[in-house]
Amino acid sequence: MARFFSFNAIDSCQTTGIHFDALCLTYGNDEDVSSLQFFGDLESSIKKCKVLPDCLVVMASAALATKLHDYWCADHTQQKTIVNRGTKSEFLFIKSYYFYAWCVTKLELIASHVLATQSYDISIEKLIQQGLRYLLEVNEVIQIAPAGHLFKHPSGTRSKVFIQAREMARSEPELFFVANAICLRMGRVLQDAEMVFIDTMGIYHYVREALKAAGNKARIESFHSYGEEMKKLSPPIDSYICVISASTSGGMAGELVNNLGFDPNKVVTLIDVTEKNRCGSVLMPLDTLGEVYVGLLEKGMGTETEIELVGEHFSSKAKPPRTVALGVPHQPKLLGEFLNHFALLGVGKLNSNFGNGPANPKLLCLDASPLTNNLEFTQWLDDEVAWCITLAVDHVIHASDPTSKVIAELAAKRIQEFRQTTIPPAVISHDDLCKESLGNAKGILVVTAVAGDGGGLREISRDLREYICTETPRHFLAAVGLPQTAESWARLKQFLERNPTKRKYGFSNWLMLPVGYDGKDSAWEQLNKLAKKAEGGETAAVEGIDQEIVNESLEQLAQLVFKSHQGFLPKHNGGELALTEGFVFFGGKFETEIQEMKIASSVVYLAIASALQCARELKDVNNQLKSTGYESVVLAPECFLRFNDNILQACLLRACHSSELDYSASPHLSKLMQEFLTKVFDRHSHKYGDAALEFAAALAIGRLKLKKDDLDDVIKFAIARLKHQASPLLGFLLLARR
């Protein structure tokens, strides 16, 4: 069970105006936290940060906050460990530690540990609002209707947004945080109230916890939001408060205040799209929480399809999934150019890492060294220096890899030529970056050859905040970007460009190709876990199959998975999966190389993965491979017939999200996949079934899902054909049984 939750917040000091990043840890009520647990929580939270924060804020009940501060003061060894984790190159990054206690109407600072000369004057209310926004996003409280649709609420209101306030908290610390946030807004009214009205029992736990924090045991009474019961309400003689779960129009609060006579000072709505022209208070107005919620108040055109809401429950499984067939419209615009430069030399094996040995392998790894001799790239670099990069640059910082260093030296040489000076800008590796190495820098250029979601660039940007003043111009140059999504790349650009001054820092990029999820829970890692389970666990007897065959099949499975970690599972005869001519996303290129088997499997995977990601981000919603709260979307089963090369089928199975291969909600789609898989397993020793191991593996790890009856029929049929001889395919099918 969760003991705490953490979130990151950005604010500026109320005294100096200096911007800072805060890491906030908030604990549940009455938690029994030991000293070892507390310091472990601090360390794990700091480790998860993409960049080191400027300060750390701990929020807890008064008793627990005092206890945690006592731990901090008493254990100097553990305290030093945490301080060292917030230090880099002997320079303090985490400069302050603050301990706050919830005290009904305020969050009181009970102690601080300031290591720098200047502490931060924190607006704790702004941090709490960012914490609430974090909960809205991570718990998927807000559902936005897909294009061409509007939600029709029980009140009759039609809007783009559906708010599930009951989902705000999914753990005890989150519940405690939300309840105390309510207290901060309405604490005195809660303390005095003898009755609390709520519009739904879905928020009962928030209100009960808020009353507990206020030291009150008032009675809670629920009324139906829109119906005859609400019209019977009238303000009681005794003190009261009315809590509304969520609203998109402010209609309920307006009805209570304007027509039923409730005091607006005793009415609070937890979530609303805005607080403008609303009766009562709004705890979380969405239009103040970021650009993603802008436009929620826009009226429809009158031609949208209505999604009628009944009650609070809402699920995309309420309707059959929509299918999307991958094709030419989903080809990324820059894929062809990307392949021209990297298809033959630049893409390494899957789950490898150029230059850093086996450490920190990446699903897709790019060797950017050919860039330094690439005429198109060097011409682009010349143009960027001439048109976009400030001539104030006198220091060039590069990521800690050889190619980034060469590009940085090229850029420094071009800057020197344009400045017509004999002194080139200093070129510094990120490993050597410190306050002394920058001296009196007048301008900074940061260079990296390849960036994913930009963790390295974020780290350099964070370091620069400590070493040079904010007003010093800086420019970030990422030659090639391989982010997971276009959105994550946009967030990186925003992070690097924005600063407290009125101007933006510069950002340049030559090629960028979103390639989808490349995290630690990839299909390869899921298979490794399955193989370890098959290798080490005791196997239950399987009726009708000799136990030795079962054990041998699982052992062969484990060996094959470990052997294939940098590629795909082989064909039945042990041969590698291969591509044939005519692959649509290659656009007629590399035909000779395909015949000569010179195209690496990782290049094929990159093409499929980028096409799938393009499908998820496509503007045409009818052809978009993206599920919403209203509608689930899956890859059309016909794709496995369209892309019938064994390696393409394997790439689809590995690069798709699990939800995109979940056919269990549609009897029709599940039956189509059952028929296809039956043929694949039946012909596993022929060309048609070359990818049989990949399909069986996808079933075994749960990436490919069918209705239970269909899955049972497929497995029963295949096992009956394979049970007389041990094989990895039999092993996967045995593990795929439910």
Side-chain angles (χ1 to χ4, degrees), residues 462-537:
R462 177 66 182 87
D463 292 353
L464 291 175
R465 270 177 36 202
E466 297 298 331
Y467 301 148
I468 59 176
C469 66
T470 304
E471 290 74 16
T472 303
R474 61 201 74 173
H475 193 104
F476 298 87
L477 187 149
V480 179
L482 283 177
Q484 296 187 64
T485 66
E487 182 184 0
S488 65
W489 190 255
R491 285 200 301 267
L492 170 65
K493 186 172 182 286
Q494 183 184 69
F495 176 87
L496 297 175
E497 289 181 335
R498 289 191 174 181
N499 62 85
T501 70
K502 294 181 180 180
R503 296 182 179 274
K504 290 183 177 181
Y505 297 143
F507 181 83
S508 298
N509 169 240
W510 181 50
L511 281 179
M512 188 275 289
L513 185 70
V515 292
Y517 179 75
D518 65 353
K520 294 182 179 180
D521 194 30
S522 67
W524 283 264
E525 294 304 321
Q526 292 172 359
L527 275 177
N528 280 343
K529 292 177 183 177
L530 183 77
K532 290 175 182 177
K533 179 181 177 182
E535 187 180 46

Side-chain angles (χ1 to χ4, degrees), residues 43 185-186 270 276 338 532 553:
E43 187 169 12
R185 180 65 62 91
M186 305 296 292
L270 298 186
K276 297 175 183 176
F338 195 94
K532 290 175 182 177
S553 295

Side-chain angles (χ1 to χ4, degrees), residues 426-488:
V427 178
I428 306 169
S429 170
H430 181 209
D431 291 338
D432 302 324
L433 187 62
C434 61
K435 193 174 182 67
E436 291 72 23
S437 65
L438 291 175
N440 296 316
K442 300 294 189 297
I444 301 290
L445 173 63
V446 179
V447 173
T448 185
V450 182
D453 285 339
L457 287 173
R458 289 173 187 268
E459 190 175 349
I460 295 174
S461 173
R462 177 66 182 87
D463 292 353
L464 291 175
R465 270 177 36 202
E466 297 298 331
Y467 301 148
I468 59 176
C469 66
T470 304
E471 290 74 16
T472 303
R474 61 201 74 173
H475 193 104
F476 298 87
L477 187 149
V480 179
L482 283 177
Q484 296 187 64
T485 66
E487 182 184 0
S488 65

Side-chain angles (χ1 to χ4, degrees), residues 327-584:
V328 174
H330 303 121
Q331 180 167 348
K333 291 181 179 179
L334 293 178
L335 177 60
E337 186 176 353
F338 195 94
L339 292 172
N340 286 339
H341 296 296
F342 298 105
L344 299 180
L345 295 174
V347 183
K349 292 182 178 180
L350 296 166
N351 298 300
S352 62
N353 199 352
F354 280 113
N356 295 322
N360 300 317
K362 297 179 180 179
L363 179 55
L364 281 170
C365 181
L366 194 70
D367 178 11
S369 58
L371 285 180
T372 55
N373 297 315
N374 186 308
L375 293 179
E376 289 187 38
F377 172 73
T378 53
Q379 182 59 53
W380 173 84
L381 184 62
D382 288 348
D383 292 342
E384 284 299 300
V385 172
W387 286 86
C388 301
I389 297 175
T390 171
L391 293 182
V393 169
D394 54 5
H395 287 72
V396 181
I397 302 165
H398 62 83
S400 306
D401 64 271
T403 306
S404 295
K405 180 180 179 180
V406 175
I407 295 174
E409 290 170 344
L410 285 173
K413 183 179 179 181
R414 300 293 190 275
I415 292 171
Q416 180 188 3
E417 292 171 354
F418 277 105
R419 292 173 62 179
Q420 298 181 349
T421 177
T422 57
I423 304 175
V427 178
I428 306 169
S429 170
H430 181 209
D431 291 338
D432 302 324
L433 187 62
C434 61
K435 193 174 182 67
E436 291 72 23
S437 65
L438 291 175
N440 296 316
K442 300 294 189 297
I444 301 290
L445 173 63
V446 179
V447 173
T448 185
V450 182
D453 285 339
L457 287 173
R458 289 173 187 268
E459 190 175 349
I460 295 174
S461 173
R462 177 66 182 87
D463 292 353
L464 291 175
R465 270 177 36 202
E466 297 298 331
Y467 301 148
I468 59 176
C469 66
T470 304
E471 290 74 16
T472 303
R474 61 201 74 173
H475 193 104
F476 298 87
L477 187 149
V480 179
L482 283 177
Q484 296 187 64
T485 66
E487 182 184 0
S488 65
W489 190 255
R491 285 200 301 267
L492 170 65
K493 186 172 182 286
Q494 183 184 69
F495 176 87
L496 297 175
E497 289 181 335
R498 289 191 174 181
N499 62 85
T501 70
K502 294 181 180 180
R503 296 182 179 274
K504 290 183 177 181
Y505 297 143
F507 181 83
S508 298
N509 169 240
W510 181 50
L511 281 179
M512 188 275 289
L513 185 70
V515 292
Y517 179 75
D518 65 353
K520 294 182 179 180
D521 194 30
S522 67
W524 283 264
E525 294 304 321
Q526 292 172 359
L527 275 177
N528 280 343
K529 292 177 183 177
L530 183 77
K532 290 175 182 177
K533 179 181 177 182
E535 187 180 46
E538 294 185 5
T539 308
V542 180
E543 185 179 352
I545 306 179
D546 187 277
Q547 189 63 35
E548 289 187 8
I549 291 179
V550 172
N551 294 339
E552 177 64 21
S553 295
L554 295 178
E555 187 175 334
Q556 290 181 21
L557 176 156
Q559 293 174 358
L560 192 61
V561 168
F562 296 141
K563 183 180 177 181
S564 307
H565 186 62
Q566 292 188 321
F568 298 98
L569 298 171
K571 295 185 282 188
H572 174 73
N573 60 8
E576 291 186 5
L577 304 186
L579 187 67
T580 61
E581 304 96 308
F583 179 31
V584 63

Side-chain angles (χ1 to χ4, degrees), residues 655-677:
C656 276
H657 297 167
S658 295
S659 61
E660 294 162 358
L661 297 172
D662 185 357
Y663 304 103
S664 61
S666 169
H668 172 64
L669 297 177
S670 179
K671 185 63 68 176
L672 288 177
M673 284 304 299
Q674 180 223 355
E675 293 172 356
F676 171 71
L677 291 173

